[in-house]
Amino acid sequence: MGRDITKCHPRLQILAAKLIEDCRKNGLIVKLGECYRTVDEQNRLYAIGRTEPGSIVTYAKGTDYSSMHQWGVAFDIIRNDGKGPYNNSDGWFGKVGKIGKALGLEWGGDWTKPVDLPHFQLKYWGSTPANLKKLYGTPDNFKKTWKDVYITEKEEAEVVETGYINVNGKTIKIDKIVKDGRNFINLRGLENAGFSVEYNAASKLPILDNKTEDISISADGDIKKARAVNIRGYNYVKLRDITDAIGNIKVEYADGVVILNRE
Ligand SMILES: [Zn+2]
């Protein structure tokens, strides 16, 4: 059941492939296990150790959408070198976990209740589905926000996602991407949030072709450099650079939402 990674979030598909590849280069043979789970599949797992024989395997009830697997943002792995799918006697899962984390994934081996060595997930919305439930209600609604994956000639893929920033208590929907493990947000979104951020009128905006480059932005009269990438005509600028340029902005993350406060 649930072994189809193509039913998962596009960003997760990319990172799963990268994880397998990076692990292979380090002599770790990884195979994908559980990926996307339907409500029925999650309920069947939940029944094990409760109404069905066996010991408890999950605390997440299917009808509550309380597994990240149901939101298409998690996958499990198994060890595929013939030494046993869950053999961790040589710390194998920790080595894979380290590589996964370097790719920006959250690793279940860092959890305590319960420790989940084979589990990896996207971390943009927090560790649990609470924030996804609040933002989207159901996995089906969430899936509608999964936009196209843009592939460049370098076969580098970027996924434009719906994100939320909270500015002085007001939540604003923005388009964002994650690049090199950092949040890049659509500059237009920040304008919608009431910030006066303008391009330096003196410099023509370069066509960035999905490569990150420094652009000049004029923020409150000062010209600052910011890391940016242009995806299909829209400029995505590194959030940290924007807030550094504007100044007097406190950036916090809570429940997967970026919170900006003018100090
Ligand atoms: Zn899992």
Side-chain angles (χ1 to χ4, degrees):
M1 55 189 254
R3 298 238 155 148
D4 191 356
I5 190 74
T6 65
K7 287 184 179 158
C8 290
H9 194 285
R11 183 86 199 158
L12 191 73
Q13 295 183 37
I14 292 160
L15 291 178
K18 277 190 183 162
L19 179 68
I20 291 169
E21 177 60 15
D22 287 0
C23 284
R24 194 189 56 75
K25 285 180 194 156
N26 286 280
L28 305 162
I29 309 303
V30 168
K31 190 179 166 184
L32 290 181
E34 290 277 307
C35 298
Y36 176 78
R37 273 185 213 138
T38 64
V39 169
D40 281 354
E41 286 167 343
Q42 186 66 35
N43 277 337
R44 278 205 292 276
L45 282 184
Y46 186 78
I48 297 168
R50 294 186 177 85
T51 54
E52 298 293 326
S55 21
I56 284 176
V57 292
T58 181
Y59 294 92
K61 212 188 265 185
T63 40
D64 293 341
Y65 305 123
S66 49
S67 165
M68 290 301 250
H69 287 278
Q70 294 180 271
W71 294 85
V73 296
F75 61 81
D76 299 332
I77 56 143
I78 54 173
R79 181 173 183 164
N80 202 34
D81 58 4
K83 294 184 178 159
Y86 299 105
N87 179 358
N88 195 35
S89 57
D90 52 357
W92 188 89
F93 280 89
K95 292 174 202 162
V96 176
K98 201 175 161 198
I99 293 171
K101 288 198 285 182
L103 290 169
L105 287 162
E106 180 167 335
W107 177 45
D110 285 336
W111 299 347
T112 48
K113 288 194 309 190
V115 178
D116 196 351
L117 295 175
H119 180 99
F120 291 89
Q121 65 184 38
L122 298 179
K123 61 182 179 188
Y124 318 130
W125 303 277
S127 286
T128 73
N131 200 42
L132 285 166
K133 275 192 247 185
K134 206 159 61 189
L135 293 170
Y136 304 104
T138 67
D140 280 345
N141 285 339
F142 175 51
K143 275 185 211 168
K144 288 175 198 154
T145 69
W146 299 359
K147 299 195 180 157
D148 299 337
V149 180
Y150 303 115
I151 310 282
T152 68
E153 66 277 14
K154 282 157 65 190
E155 295 194 354
E156 199 182 6
E158 299 302 340
V159 184
V160 179
E161 294 160 331
T162 301
Y164 291 85
I165 57 173
N166 185 302
V167 182
N168 296 337
K170 196 176 159 217
T171 301
I172 293 120
K173 210 164 153 177
I174 48 152
D175 281 347
K176 68 164 189 125
I177 59 164
V178 176
K179 196 162 178 67
D180 307 328
R182 303 282 171 211
N183 280 306
F184 281 59
I185 70 167
N186 188 328
L187 207 53
R188 186 73 52 198
L190 204 68
E191 286 174 359
N192 292 342
F195 285 90
S196 166
V197 181
E198 291 165 34
Y199 295 108
N200 177 5
S203 72
K204 287 236 161 54
L205 201 62
I207 303 294
L208 299 170
D209 286 335
N210 206 23
K211 298 194 295 284
T212 49
E213 281 182 22
D214 286 335
I215 62 164
S216 296
I217 60 173
S218 161
D220 294 342
D222 285 335
I223 293 167
K224 301 275 174 66
K225 290 270 182 233
R227 208 73 180 150
V229 57
N230 187 293
I231 298 200
R232 293 213 174 155
Y234 292 100
N235 284 295
Y236 290 80
V237 182
K238 192 170 163 187
L239 181 63
R240 176 63 60 185
D241 288 348
I242 292 175
T243 54
D244 284 353
I246 299 170
N248 305 320
I249 298 280
K250 224 166 67 199
V251 183
E252 292 170 284
Y253 296 86
D255 292 334
V257 178
V258 179
I259 298 175
L260 304 176
N261 277 307
R262 283 246 189 220
E263 281 175 331

